[in-house]
Amino acid sequence: MERNIKTIGILTSGGDAPGMNAAIRAITRTARFHDMNVVGIMRGYQGLIEKEFVRFTSSSVSNTIQRGGTILKTARCKEFMTAEGRKKAYENMLEAGIDALVVIGGNGSLTGAQLFAREYDIPIIGLPGTIDNDLYGTDSTIGYDSALNTIVDCVDKIRDTANSHDRIFFIEVMGRDAGFLAQNSAIASGAEAAIIPENGGTDVDQLAEFIERGKRKSKNSAIVLVSEAHKNGVGGAMYYAERIKNEYPQFDARVTILGHLQRGGTPTAYDRILASRMGYAAIEALLEGQRNVMIGIKNDEIVYVPISRAIKMDKPINQELIAVLNVLSM
Ligand code: F6P
């Protein structure tokens, strides 16, 4: 052990994701196994600034692995992005005797962790907790698989009504600036197309050709998964549906924006196992003397990724996924 870590703090920050509770449980129980004290920090960095600390025992996390959301609550904290906010957070940590932090969150939350670690001598371990799957260095983030399954479930239902009315549905999904949710839910639901930011959006004429192609093959309805990302006023399901309606009035188009229902619900078995492995690895990493790394998973092996890389590098979308959808939707 590089230094004697007696007490760790855990927080969840940014958008909640199914599986965060499984991660909190794994971190707590592994830390307790090693006789460390555990402090649950409520509402992310906001709670660190406002001293919202709760002493956690093994039983504090009983009956939580199956629950969506986060028992620690979460927030997007602007104050932590200021030097004064981080100073307050550091002083509160010292006062509470917290020697190390485990931060579960997405890009913005790990960016906050990186700033904090640069200014103060605190070991921080990040866990990728976001439905967007947009962190470099990990094949999957906690919550992504659950959100994907929720989307596919919704698309299956929309397909029934699309089919009955011979309609084209533009279904908008989350992912901020990343197209993982849109592309993979399109493949899993047998959709006709996906519009993702990694491809710089889609040409409307090409989209119409896709839909027409399906119609010629006697498919009377179509599903297009659209990533929520907007660039220079272009993007989102509304935008594409409007353009199709105006330029191809022969199509009967409708829009569904799935919104926050994608973030709720019980985590899938995959996310529970991933979160459990990552939570366990976070404490093992601290015991090995690791600091300022994010726990990732690559080819089913746990890896340590410097937080600076996880947040800065673009995570590319596998081009094979694009080819698979194009060919299979014919
Ligand atoms: O990062 C997770 C995420 O759900 C994104 O997909 C989405 O763009 C964003 O959070 C929405 O954030 P909020 O719940 O604060 O509106």
Side-chain angles (χ1 to χ4, degrees):
M1 201 188 299
E2 186 205 41
R3 65 198 237 173
N4 195 10
I5 296 173
K6 290 201 196 75
T7 303
I8 61 145
I10 316 173
L11 62 85
T12 49
S13 162
D16 60 319
M20 279 182 164
N21 288 328
I24 297 165
R25 172 180 178 271
I27 298 161
T28 304
R29 295 214 166 145
T30 312
R32 292 301 303 134
F33 177 81
H34 291 288
D35 284 328
M36 292 173 176
N37 300 313
V38 179
V39 175
I41 301 160
M42 303 303 293
R43 296 188 300 116
Y45 294 119
Q46 199 66 48
L48 200 54
I49 291 173
E50 291 171 14
K51 288 199 248 185
E52 278 191 74
F53 301 148
V54 182
R55 184 63 61 150
F56 263 36
T57 62
S58 249
S59 56
S60 313
V61 289
S62 295
N63 198 17
T64 58
I65 195 167
Q66 77 283 16
R67 283 165 60 190
T70 159
I71 56 167
L72 287 176
K73 299 196 179 269
T74 185
R76 299 191 193 278
C77 176
K78 289 214 176 78
E79 203 181 342
F80 194 73
M81 294 325 250
T82 67
E84 302 81 69
R86 291 191 294 278
K87 184 164 178 281
K88 254 194 241 171
Y90 179 65
E91 286 164 1
N92 292 343
M93 275 184 69
L94 285 185
E95 195 185 302
I98 301 171
D99 308 304
L101 265 189
V102 183
V103 173
I104 311 167
N107 211 293
S109 310
L110 296 188
T111 301
Q114 169 77 2
L115 282 172
F116 202 33
R118 268 206 198 126
E119 288 166 350
Y120 300 100
D121 180 30
I122 317 155
I124 303 183
I125 303 293
L127 252 60
T130 167
I131 64 165
D132 300 346
N133 197 29
D134 59 349
L135 286 160
Y136 177 85
T138 188
D139 290 340
S140 192
T141 55
I142 297 166
Y144 169 63
D145 183 66
S146 305
L148 199 54
N149 277 283
T150 300
I151 294 169
V152 170
D153 202 36
C154 292
V155 177
D156 289 349
K157 291 187 167 76
I158 293 169
R159 175 74 82 176
D160 291 343
T161 175
N163 228 346
S164 306
H165 285 266
D166 294 348
R167 281 176 175 158
I168 290 139
F169 269 82
F170 289 84
I171 304 174
E172 184 173 300
V173 298
M174 282 185 169
R176 204 182 289 271
D177 300 318
F180 295 97
L181 285 172
Q183 187 68 29
N184 279 323
S185 60
I187 294 175
S189 60
E192 278 56 45
I195 302 178
I196 58 170
E198 288 84 347
N199 279 359
T202 285
D203 178 61
V204 171
D205 295 328
Q206 205 188 342
L207 188 62
E209 207 182 295
F210 265 126
I211 298 168
E212 208 44 84
R213 187 177 70 180
K215 279 190 171 282
R216 277 199 301 273
K217 299 193 99 186
S218 80
K219 276 193 203 170
N220 55 7
S221 65
I223 301 281
V224 181
L225 267 297
V226 188
S227 167
E228 66 176 338
H230 281 256
K231 210 170 187 185
N232 306 326
V234 175
M238 284 292 192
Y239 170 85
Y240 285 102
E242 278 309 311
R243 285 205 51 190
I244 284 285
K245 272 190 208 164
N246 292 336
E247 295 165 42
Y248 297 87
Q250 71 273 29
F251 296 143
D252 188 10
R254 292 289 187 280
V255 171
T256 303
I257 297 175
L258 295 183
H260 287 80
L261 79 76
Q262 294 161 89
R263 282 218 311 242
T266 186
T268 56
Y270 179 86
D271 271 332
R272 296 181 200 194
I273 296 166
L274 180 70
S276 300
R277 290 178 70 185
M278 287 182 164
Y280 170 89
I283 298 301
E284 294 295 317
L286 281 174
L287 290 171
E288 281 171 25
Q290 295 283 343
R291 42 161 62 211
N292 313 331
V293 293
M294 179 191 84
I295 307 294
I297 190 141
K298 277 269 163 198
N299 304 322
D300 204 34
E301 296 285 339
I302 290 290
V303 291
Y304 301 148
V305 188
I307 292 180
S308 54
R309 282 172 68 91
I311 56 177
K312 292 255 166 55
M313 309 273 290
D314 275 343
K315 180 170 172 179
I317 208 151
N318 186 343
Q319 288 301 309
E320 185 205 320
L321 296 172
I322 291 160
V324 167
L325 179 63
N326 283 349
V327 170
L328 302 192
S329 62
M330 268 200 259

Coordinates of all heavy atoms in Angstrom, one line a residue, residues 100-147:
A100 N -9.2 9.3 0.5 CA -9.3 9.0 -0.9 C -10.7 9.0 -1.4 O -11.6 8.9 -0.6 CB -8.7 7.6 -1.2
L101 N -10.9 9.3 -2.7 CA -12.2 9.4 -3.3 C -12.5 8.4 -4.4 O -11.6 8.2 -5.2 CB -12.4 10.8 -3.9 CG -12.9 12.0 -3.2 CD1 -13.1 13.1 -4.2 CD2 -14.3 11.6 -2.5
V102 N -13.7 7.9 -4.4 CA -14.1 7.1 -5.6 C -15.2 7.9 -6.2 O -16.3 8.1 -5.6 CB -14.5 5.7 -5.3 CG1 -14.8 4.9 -6.6 CG2 -13.4 4.9 -4.5
V103 N -15.1 8.3 -7.5 CA -16.1 9.1 -8.2 C -16.7 8.3 -9.3 O -16.0 7.8 -10.1 CB -15.4 10.4 -8.8 CG1 -16.4 11.1 -9.7 CG2 -14.8 11.2 -7.7
I104 N -18.0 8.1 -9.2 CA -18.7 7.4 -10.3 C -19.5 8.4 -11.1 O -20.4 9.1 -10.6 CB -19.7 6.4 -9.6 CG1 -19.1 5.6 -8.5 CG2 -20.3 5.5 -10.7 CD1 -20.1 4.8 -7.6
G105 N -19.1 8.5 -12.4 CA -19.8 9.5 -13.2 C -19.3 9.4 -14.7 O -18.4 8.6 -15.0
G106 N -19.8 10.4 -15.4 CA -19.4 10.4 -16.9 C -18.3 11.4 -17.1 O -17.5 11.8 -16.2
N107 N -18.2 11.9 -18.3 CA -17.1 12.8 -18.7 C -16.9 14.0 -17.9 O -15.8 14.3 -17.4 CB -17.4 13.2 -20.2 CG -16.1 13.4 -20.9 OD1 -15.4 14.4 -20.6 ND2 -15.8 12.6 -21.9
G108 N -18.0 14.8 -17.6 CA -18.0 16.0 -16.8 C -17.5 15.7 -15.4 O -16.7 16.4 -14.8
S109 N -18.0 14.6 -14.8 CA -17.7 14.3 -13.4 C -16.2 13.9 -13.3 O -15.5 14.3 -12.4 CB -18.5 13.1 -12.9 OG -19.9 13.4 -13.2
L110 N -15.7 13.2 -14.3 CA -14.3 12.8 -14.3 C -13.4 14.0 -14.6 O -12.2 14.0 -14.1 CB -14.0 11.6 -15.2 CG -14.8 10.3 -14.7 CD1 -14.3 9.1 -15.6 CD2 -14.6 10.0 -13.2
T111 N -13.9 14.9 -15.4 CA -13.1 16.1 -15.6 C -12.9 16.9 -14.3 O -11.9 17.4 -14.0 CB -13.8 17.0 -16.7 OG1 -14.0 16.2 -17.8 CG2 -13.1 18.3 -17.0
G112 N -14.0 16.9 -13.5 CA -13.9 17.6 -12.2 C -12.9 16.8 -11.3 O -12.1 17.5 -10.6
A113 N -12.9 15.5 -11.4 CA -12.0 14.7 -10.5 C -10.5 15.0 -10.9 O -9.6 15.1 -10.1 CB -12.3 13.2 -10.7
Q114 N -10.3 15.2 -12.2 CA -9.0 15.4 -12.8 C -8.4 16.8 -12.3 O -7.3 16.9 -11.8 CB -9.1 15.4 -14.3 CG -7.9 15.9 -15.1 CD -6.8 14.8 -15.0 OE1 -6.9 13.7 -14.5 NE2 -5.6 15.2 -15.6
L115 N -9.3 17.8 -12.3 CA -8.9 19.1 -11.8 C -8.6 19.1 -10.3 O -7.6 19.6 -9.9 CB -10.1 20.1 -12.0 CG -10.4 20.7 -13.3 CD1 -11.7 21.4 -13.3 CD2 -9.2 21.6 -13.8
F116 N -9.4 18.4 -9.6 CA -9.3 18.3 -8.1 C -7.9 17.6 -7.8 O -7.1 18.0 -6.9 CB -10.4 17.4 -7.6 CG -10.7 17.6 -6.1 CD1 -10.5 18.8 -5.5 CD2 -11.2 16.5 -5.4 CE1 -10.8 19.0 -4.1 CE2 -11.6 16.7 -4.0 CZ -11.3 17.9 -3.4
A117 N -7.6 16.5 -8.5 CA -6.4 15.7 -8.3 C -5.2 16.5 -8.6 O -4.1 16.3 -8.1 CB -6.5 14.4 -9.0
R118 N -5.3 17.4 -9.6 CA -4.1 18.2 -10.0 C -3.8 19.2 -8.9 O -2.6 19.5 -8.7 CB -4.5 19.0 -11.3 CG -4.1 18.2 -12.5 CD -3.8 19.1 -13.6 NE -3.9 18.3 -14.8 CZ -4.6 18.6 -15.9 NH1 -5.3 19.7 -15.9 NH2 -4.6 17.8 -16.9
E119 N -4.8 19.7 -8.2 CA -4.6 20.8 -7.3 C -4.3 20.3 -5.9 O -3.6 21.0 -5.1 CB -5.9 21.7 -7.2 CG -6.1 22.5 -8.4 CD -7.5 23.1 -8.4 OE1 -8.3 22.7 -7.6 OE2 -7.7 24.0 -9.3
Y120 N -4.8 19.1 -5.5 CA -4.6 18.6 -4.1 C -4.1 17.2 -4.2 O -4.4 16.4 -5.1 CB -6.0 18.7 -3.4 CG -6.5 20.1 -3.3 CD1 -7.5 20.5 -4.2 CD2 -6.0 21.0 -2.4 CE1 -8.0 21.8 -4.1 CE2 -6.4 22.3 -2.3 CZ -7.4 22.7 -3.2 OH -7.9 24.0 -3.2
D121 N -3.4 16.8 -3.1 CA -2.8 15.5 -3.1 C -3.8 14.5 -2.5 O -3.7 14.1 -1.4 CB -1.6 15.7 -2.1 CG -0.8 14.4 -2.0 OD1 -0.8 13.6 -3.0 OD2 -0.2 14.1 -0.9
I122 N -4.7 14.1 -3.4 CA -5.7 13.1 -3.0 C -5.7 12.0 -4.1 O -5.9 12.3 -5.2 CB -7.1 13.7 -3.1 CG1 -7.2 15.1 -2.5 CG2 -8.2 12.8 -2.4 CD1 -8.4 15.8 -3.1
P123 N -5.6 10.7 -3.6 CA -5.8 9.7 -4.6 C -7.3 9.6 -5.0 O -8.2 9.6 -4.1 CB -5.4 8.4 -3.8 CG -4.8 8.9 -2.5 CD -5.3 10.2 -2.3
I124 N -7.5 9.6 -6.3 CA -8.9 9.5 -6.8 C -9.0 8.4 -7.8 O -8.1 8.2 -8.7 CB -9.4 10.8 -7.5 CG1 -9.3 12.0 -6.5 CG2 -10.8 10.7 -8.0 CD1 -9.8 13.3 -7.1
I125 N -10.0 7.6 -7.6 CA -10.3 6.5 -8.6 C -11.7 6.8 -9.3 O -12.6 7.1 -8.6 CB -10.4 5.1 -8.0 CG1 -9.1 4.8 -7.2 CG2 -10.7 4.0 -9.0 CD1 -7.8 4.6 -8.0
G126 N -11.7 6.8 -10.6 CA -13.0 7.1 -11.3 C -13.6 5.8 -11.8 O -12.9 4.8 -12.1
L127 N -14.9 5.7 -11.7 CA -15.7 4.6 -12.3 C -16.5 5.2 -13.4 O -17.2 6.2 -13.2 CB -16.6 3.9 -11.3 CG -16.1 2.5 -10.8 CD1 -14.7 2.6 -10.1 CD2 -17.1 2.0 -9.8
P128 N -16.5 4.6 -14.6 CA -17.3 5.2 -15.7 C -18.8 4.9 -15.5 O -19.3 3.8 -15.7 CB -16.8 4.4 -16.9 CG -16.3 3.1 -16.4 CD -15.8 3.4 -15.0
G129 N -19.5 5.8 -15.1 CA -21.0 5.7 -14.8 C -21.8 6.6 -15.7 O -21.9 7.8 -15.4
T130 N -22.2 6.1 -16.8 CA -23.0 7.0 -17.8 C -23.7 6.1 -18.8 O -23.0 5.1 -19.2 CB -22.1 8.0 -18.5 OG1 -22.9 8.6 -19.6 CG2 -20.8 7.5 -19.1
I131 N -24.9 6.4 -19.2 CA -25.5 5.6 -20.2 C -24.9 5.9 -21.6 O -25.2 5.1 -22.5 CB -27.1 5.9 -20.3 CG1 -27.4 7.3 -20.7 CG2 -27.7 5.5 -18.9 CD1 -28.9 7.5 -21.1
D132 N -24.2 7.0 -21.7 CA -23.7 7.4 -23.1 C -22.6 6.5 -23.6 O -22.3 6.5 -24.8 CB -23.1 8.8 -23.0 CG -24.2 9.8 -22.5 OD1 -25.4 9.4 -22.5 OD2 -23.8 10.9 -22.2
N133 N -21.9 5.8 -22.8 CA -20.7 4.9 -23.2 C -19.6 5.7 -23.9 O -18.9 5.2 -24.8 CB -21.2 3.8 -24.1 CG -20.2 2.7 -24.2 OD1 -19.4 2.4 -23.3 ND2 -20.1 2.0 -25.4
D134 N -19.4 7.0 -23.6 CA -18.5 7.9 -24.3 C -17.2 8.1 -23.7 O -16.5 9.1 -23.9 CB -19.2 9.2 -24.6 CG -19.6 9.9 -23.3 OD1 -19.5 9.3 -22.2 OD2 -20.0 11.1 -23.4
L135 N -16.8 7.2 -22.8 CA -15.5 7.3 -22.1 C -14.4 6.4 -22.8 O -14.7 5.2 -23.0 CB -15.6 7.1 -20.6 CG -16.3 8.2 -19.9 CD1 -16.8 7.7 -18.5 CD2 -15.3 9.4 -19.7
Y136 N -13.3 7.0 -23.1 CA -12.3 6.3 -23.8 C -11.6 5.3 -22.8 O -11.5 5.6 -21.6 CB -11.2 7.3 -24.3 CG -10.0 6.7 -24.9 CD1 -10.0 6.3 -26.3 CD2 -8.9 6.4 -24.2 CE1 -8.9 5.7 -26.9 CE2 -7.8 5.8 -24.8 CZ -7.8 5.4 -26.1 OH -6.8 4.8 -26.7
G137 N -11.2 4.1 -23.4 CA -10.5 3.2 -22.6 C -11.3 2.1 -21.9 O -10.8 1.2 -21.2
T138 N -12.6 2.1 -22.2 CA -13.5 1.1 -21.6 C -14.4 0.6 -22.7 O -15.0 1.5 -23.4 CB -14.2 1.5 -20.3 OG1 -14.9 0.4 -19.8 CG2 -15.2 2.6 -20.5
D139 N -14.6 -0.7 -22.8 CA -15.6 -1.2 -23.8 C -17.0 -0.8 -23.5 O -17.8 -0.6 -24.4 CB -15.5 -2.7 -24.0 CG -14.2 -3.1 -24.6 OD1 -13.5 -2.3 -25.3 OD2 -13.8 -4.3 -24.4
S140 N -17.3 -0.7 -22.2 CA -18.6 -0.3 -21.8 C -18.6 0.5 -20.5 O -17.7 0.4 -19.7 CB -19.4 -1.6 -21.5 OG -20.8 -1.3 -21.4
T141 N -19.6 1.4 -20.4 CA -19.7 2.1 -19.1 C -20.9 1.6 -18.3 O -21.8 0.9 -18.9 CB -20.0 3.6 -19.4 OG1 -21.1 3.7 -20.3 CG2 -18.8 4.3 -20.1
I142 N -20.9 1.8 -17.0 CA -22.0 1.3 -16.2 C -23.3 2.1 -16.6 O -23.3 3.3 -16.6 CB -21.7 1.6 -14.7 CG1 -20.4 0.8 -14.3 CG2 -22.9 1.3 -13.8 CD1 -19.8 1.2 -13.0
G143 N -24.3 1.3 -16.9 CA -25.6 2.0 -17.3 C -25.9 1.9 -18.8 O -27.1 1.9 -19.2
Y144 N -24.9 1.7 -19.6 CA -25.1 1.7 -21.1 C -25.9 0.5 -21.5 O -26.9 0.7 -22.2 CB -23.7 1.7 -21.7 CG -23.7 1.5 -23.2 CD1 -24.4 2.3 -24.1 CD2 -23.1 0.3 -23.8 CE1 -24.4 2.1 -25.4 CE2 -23.2 0.1 -25.1 CZ -23.8 1.0 -26.0 OH -23.9 0.7 -27.3
D145 N -25.6 -0.6 -21.0 CA -26.3 -1.8 -21.4 C -27.8 -1.8 -21.0 O -28.7 -2.1 -21.8 CB -25.7 -3.1 -20.8 CG -26.4 -4.4 -21.3 OD1 -26.3 -4.7 -22.5 OD2 -27.0 -5.1 -20.5
S146 N -28.1 -1.2 -19.8 CA -29.4 -1.1 -19.3 C -30.2 -0.1 -20.2 O -31.4 -0.4 -20.6 CB -29.5 -0.6 -17.9 OG -28.7 -1.5 -17.1
A147 N -29.6 1.0 -20.5 CA -30.3 2.0 -21.3 C -30.6 1.4 -22.7 O -31.7 1.6 -23.3 CB -29.4 3.3 -21.4

